[in-house]
Amino acid sequence: MRTTTPNSPHIPGRWRRIGSAAAATAALVIAGLGTAVQANAVTPTAAPAAHKVSAKAIATQVAKAHVKYTNACAATPKKGYAACNALRVTGGTTAFMEKQAALKGVTPKTVKPNAASDDPTGYGPSDIQSAYGLTSAAASNGSGQTVAIVDAYDDPNAAADLATYRSYYGLSACTTANGCFKKVSQTGSTTSLPTADSGWAGEISLDLDMVSATCPQCNILLVEAKSASDANLGTAVNEAVKLGAKFVSNSYGGSESSSDTTYDSSYYNHPGVAITASAGDEGYGAEYPAASKYVTAVGGTKLSTSSNSRGWTESVWNTSSTEGTGSGCSSYDAKPSWQTDTSCTKRMIADVSAVADPATGVSVYDSYGDDGTGWNTYGGTSASSPLIASVYALAGTPGSSDYPAQYPYNAAGTSALNDVTSGSNGSCTTSYFCTAKSGYDGPTGWGTPEGLDAFTG
């Protein structure tokens, strides 16, 4: 995670402005070309629905969208430790909130850092499923599959918050009682759990909600490491696999080190299991475990509605030179055989990507601790990692000897992936390491899901 502290002034103290492209695409919603979330901060009523407003006026208001956000885990990890990659919006108005306000002729509400929001202010399940061609699969696939979430520390309200999220969006109950949800420590205990932590609780809520949004019929296993050390998190990964999960998401990362190849063999080498890892939130630069050759490294995008046939468009998520999706050429991990880019002789990050920009973030329900303010909007590659793990789950159980990180490479350049071709996450001497282009690039890999074909063997 290099040198920038997540709670340093550059994160919470600067307003993030949505660019002109988002304003232009949002304006198309007046013609019925966009996709709305299920609920938002401005509840529709009969009177506002009749409000007439021009596309130009909508674009003007959406251009005012601005958010600020903070890292949920609040500190740069020391050597041998990781931090979560969850970014919680703490103020301002998202582009979606501005758009809805313009359509209804009302003043947009704002995100408040220490007060509960009555309704979601970010993307919900139908948006995620629509954006990635998953609507049909989410309705019919996933039963019997278990997606494991590995995080540090305990979220005492995990089950209750998960229930609130799923009930709000009309998803089936996923509880301990019905066997859908299970929470354990890194040793597998259901009673001897780690110390609770508010920041990581927000991360946990984000992860659980992204699995629910993407694969509503999947079972969810939460494995809580007793600390954020690489060794304890890795032990939790092993426990998740031991307990039968074939899909494991890791929404955390830290600086690379010469120990990474040892961690690879000890914790992440699980043939027949799809393991995903966040690429990081500090812009260009490699993190571990995303650098492991055994995982699917997941980058982040800005996701906006569009008038194209897909209904959505994406670009590299980048807020500043130190805030955006991670990418890069590993200093230690060997290149997997299926990765064939020529300018990085070792492991290149990322493989695929999904929504991560806090300004186009996802709705999360979290009620624990200082960060537990009810409905929140979250971004970061902590959103994209569990989303992709859940896409793997929708696609079905991997082959027993397969490394599923290879699957997207088998579909490279096909319609099974949305190629992200615009944006960058920093400066680099080799262009594709940090700049999107047609085909493979570091920030977004081969692109984002369009259905399931790129995530099955």
Side-chain angles (χ1 to χ4, degrees):
M1 194 120 342
R2 303 189 305 286
T3 59
T4 306
T5 56
N7 61 343
S8 62
H10 78 275
I11 290 180
R14 184 181 301 166
W15 293 98
R16 313 298 170 208
R17 298 215 172 260
I18 311 303
S20 59
T25 55
L28 294 166
V29 176
I30 192 64
L33 298 169
T35 301
V37 303
Q38 296 89 329
N40 53 79
V42 185
T43 304
T45 62
H51 180 73
K52 302 296 183 181
V53 60
S54 69
K56 182 178 179 180
I58 293 175
T60 299
Q61 185 156 333
V62 168
K64 299 176 183 178
H66 54 289
V67 301
K68 59 181 180 179
Y69 52 85
T70 185
N71 182 284
C73 296
T76 296
K78 61 185 179 182
K79 184 178 180 180
Y81 284 73
C84 73
N85 286 311
L87 301 176
R88 181 170 63 90
V89 173
T90 59
T93 57
T94 66
F96 175 79
M97 294 166 69
E98 291 280 2
K99 176 186 68 179
Q100 294 301 307
L103 288 169
K104 296 170 179 63
V106 299
T107 300
K109 293 184 179 181
T110 59
V111 175
K112 299 183 184 301
N114 296 309
S117 173
D118 293 333
D119 300 295
T121 54
Y123 293 141
S126 69
D127 301 286
I128 292 168
Q129 294 166 22
S130 168
Y132 298 118
L134 303 171
T135 303
S136 176
S140 58
N141 295 11
S143 179
Q145 304 286 18
T146 297
V147 179
I149 296 299
V150 171
D151 282 313
Y153 304 108
D154 179 41
D155 176 5
N157 297 355
D161 289 349
L162 175 64
T164 298
Y165 179 91
R166 294 179 70 101
S167 175
Y168 185 92
Y169 284 112
L171 306 178
S172 60
C174 186
T175 67
T176 302
N178 68 15
C180 175
F181 177 66
K182 185 175 184 180
K183 180 173 77 169
V184 301
S185 71
Q186 69 185 58
T187 64
S189 174
T190 59
T191 56
S192 181
L193 298 170
T195 302
D197 181 90
S198 177
W200 279 89
E203 169 67 65
I204 289 169
S205 292
L206 168 60
D207 292 344
L208 299 181
D209 292 353
M210 285 306 92
V211 177
S212 297
T214 311
C215 187
Q217 298 193 56
C218 283
N219 294 333
I220 306 175
L221 171 66
L222 171 61
V223 186
E224 299 177 331
K226 66 180 181 181
S227 79
S229 73
D230 293 335
N232 284 326
L233 288 164
T235 298
V237 172
N238 285 345
E239 184 64 24
V241 177
K242 177 183 175 183
L243 292 175
K246 297 297 183 182
F247 316 94
V248 183
S249 174
N250 305 278
S251 291
Y252 55 82
S255 299
E256 288 193 288
S257 77
S258 57
S259 300
D260 291 350
T261 54
T262 300
Y263 294 147
D264 277 355
S265 57
S266 297
Y267 305 126
Y268 297 99
N269 184 6
H270 293 286
V273 179
I275 302 177
T276 63
S278 299
D281 294 347
E282 294 185 1
Y284 175 63
E287 286 191 3
Y288 190 84
S292 171
K293 64 181 180 180
Y294 298 120
V295 311
T296 300
V298 186
T301 67
K302 177 179 181 177
L303 175 68
S304 304
T305 56
S306 172
S307 61
N308 62 22
S309 59
R310 178 186 171 198
W312 302 86
T313 186
E314 289 175 277
S315 59
V316 174
W317 164 44
N318 179 56
T319 304
S320 72
S321 60
T322 57
E323 297 170 1
T325 184
S327 71
C329 182
S330 174
S331 298
Y332 301 100
D333 267 81
K335 202 173 196 67
S337 60
W338 52 84
Q339 197 171 58
T340 59
D341 61 296
T342 57
S343 295
C344 174
T345 59
K346 294 188 180 295
R347 168 70 156 115
M348 187 68 196
I349 302 167
D351 300 312
V352 292
S353 51
V355 60
D357 188 342
T360 64
V362 296
S363 288
V364 172
Y365 192 84
D366 173 38
S367 67
Y368 180 73
D370 293 339
D371 293 331
T373 57
W375 286 106
N376 293 275
T377 296
Y378 269 85
T381 52
S382 280
S384 54
S385 177
L387 194 161
I388 293 297
S390 302
V391 175
Y392 274 112
L394 289 172
T397 305
S400 61
S401 61
D402 290 357
Y403 289 100
Q406 182 175 359
Y407 293 169
Y409 288 80
N410 296 338
T414 72
S415 59
L417 292 159
N418 301 302
D419 192 7
V420 181
T421 59
S422 64
S424 67
N425 63 343
S427 300
C428 53
T429 55
T430 304
S431 178
Y432 79 86
F433 284 14
C434 66
T435 303
K437 67 178 187 64
S438 179
Y440 180 84
D441 57 72
T444 66
W446 283 108
T448 63
E450 183 57 46
L452 305 179
D453 288 351
F455 297 88
T456 179

